[in-house]
């Protein structure tokens, strides 16, 4: 019985992640074929947080990853711009 509950919560977590954390309690409960009330209680008892808190934490994790990726791209862009500036400076005629 415990294994079935864990599988249900695992399935719900994957559903939340698949939807990037943007999913209602009713939709999650429907996906795992449980009533919203029962599912919410079960999720909190097993995970220690509510489905909404899990979804919010997942969204924050996605945002952090995107910011990190943007920071890397920004550094690469700045590096390339500086390199182009150096190339053009060398190409200018010396008076």
């Amino acid at each position: 019985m415990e294994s079935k509950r864990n599988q249900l919560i695992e399935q719900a977590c994957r559903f939340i992640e698949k939807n990037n954390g943007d999913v209602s309690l009713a939709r999650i409960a429907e996906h795992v074929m449980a009533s919203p009330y029962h599912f919410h209680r079960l999720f909190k008892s097993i995970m220690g947080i509510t489905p909404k808190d899990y979804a919010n934490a997942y969204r924050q994790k996605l945002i952090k990853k995107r910011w990190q990726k943007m920071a890397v791209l920004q550094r690469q862009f700045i590096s390339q711009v500086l390199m182009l500036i150096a190339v053009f400076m060398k190409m200018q005629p010396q008076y």
Side-chain angles (χ1 to χ4, degrees), residues 1 7 10-11 19 22 39 41 46 48 51 56 65 71 84:
M1 186 73 156
Q7 288 176 348
E10 173 84 19
Q11 185 181 3
N19 287 280
D22 187 22
F39 170 73
R41 287 185 43 183
I46 291 176
N56 288 338
K65 279 184 180 180
L84 282 173

Side-chain angles (χ1 to χ4, degrees), residues 13-93:
C13 290
R14 297 301 78 80
F15 184 71
I16 292 169
E17 292 166 8
K18 180 181 173 192
N19 287 280
N20 295 321
D22 187 22
V23 63
S24 68
L25 174 64
R27 280 192 56 215
I28 302 166
E30 180 183 330
H31 180 75
V32 297
M33 295 182 272
S35 76
Y37 174 77
H38 174 72
F39 170 73
H40 188 275
R41 287 185 43 183
L42 180 64
F43 192 97
K44 179 149 174 124
S45 72
I46 291 176
M47 296 294 288
I49 58 174
T50 65
K52 183 176 183 176
D53 290 339
Y54 183 86
N56 288 338
Y58 186 74
R59 278 195 300 269
Q60 288 175 347
K61 180 179 163 185
L62 289 178
I63 290 168
K64 183 178 179 182
K65 279 184 180 180
R66 288 177 184 155
W67 274 105
Q68 289 171 342
K69 188 182 260 187
M70 282 181 53
V72 167
L73 291 173
Q74 188 176 31
R75 283 192 299 273
Q76 289 173 345
F77 176 76
I78 290 170
S79 173
Q80 290 174 354
V81 167
L82 292 174
M83 188 171 55
L84 282 173
I85 290 171
V87 168
F88 285 122
M89 295 291 280
K90 288 180 183 178
M91 290 175 60
Q92 287 191 357

Side-chain angles (χ1 to χ4, degrees), residues 1-10 38 42 46:
M1 186 73 156
E2 192 68 30
S3 172
K4 184 173 173 129
R5 289 179 177 174
N6 289 341
Q7 288 176 348
L8 184 118
I9 298 305
E10 173 84 19
H38 174 72
L42 180 64
I46 291 176

